[in-house]
Amino acid sequence: MKIESMEVSSIKTKFYVVKMEQAKLAYQAAGAVRLPTVGLTGGVTRSTSQRALGGSGDTTNKNVGFQVSMPVFHGAGISAAQRQAKQNLQGAQAALE
C-alpha cells in the first residue's frame, strides 16, 4: 500500500513540475512579443526579349531584402497576457511546494 501511494505522489510531483515548466515557457513567450523581429528575403528574375534589330536581350535581376520590426504600441493586451502568465507561473510554483 505504501509503495502505491509513493508512486502516486511521484506522478503528481512530475505533473506539477511539467505544469511549472509550461507556465515558465508561457511567461517567456508573453515577454518575447515585445522583442524585435528580423526578416530576410531574396529573389532572382530573368527575362528574355527580342530586339528590333534582330538580337535578343537577356536581363537578370537579383534582389535581397532585410527588414527589422519592433512593436511600438500594442495596447494593454501584451502587458495583461504577461501578467497573467506570471501569475500562472507563481501558482504552479506554489502548487509544487
Side-chain angles (χ1 to χ4, degrees):
M1 222 25 158
K2 193 171 188 176
I3 292 174
E4 291 173 356
S5 65
M6 287 174 56
E7 288 176 7
V8 169
S9 176
S10 176
I11 290 171
K12 285 183 179 179
T13 301
K14 288 179 184 178
F15 172 77
Y16 287 119
V17 167
V18 169
K19 290 299 275 183
M20 188 183 70
E21 289 299 319
Q22 179 185 16
K24 188 185 299 184
L25 290 172
Y27 177 67
Q28 291 172 347
V33 174
R34 298 173 187 245
L35 297 176
T37 58
V38 178
L40 182 64
T41 61
V44 176
T45 57
R46 184 177 174 102
S47 62
T48 303
S49 62
Q50 295 292 329
R51 294 190 178 167
L53 300 176
S56 65
D58 291 338
T59 304
T60 303
N61 294 320
K62 301 172 188 169
N63 61 53
V64 176
F66 183 73
Q67 179 181 5
V68 178
S69 300
M70 184 164 176
V72 177
F73 180 74
H74 282 283
I78 293 174
S79 296
Q82 195 171 18
R83 282 192 306 273
Q84 181 65 46
K86 186 175 184 178
Q87 288 179 352
N88 291 344
L89 175 58
Q90 290 171 343
Q93 289 171 336
L96 185 59
E97 295 172 358

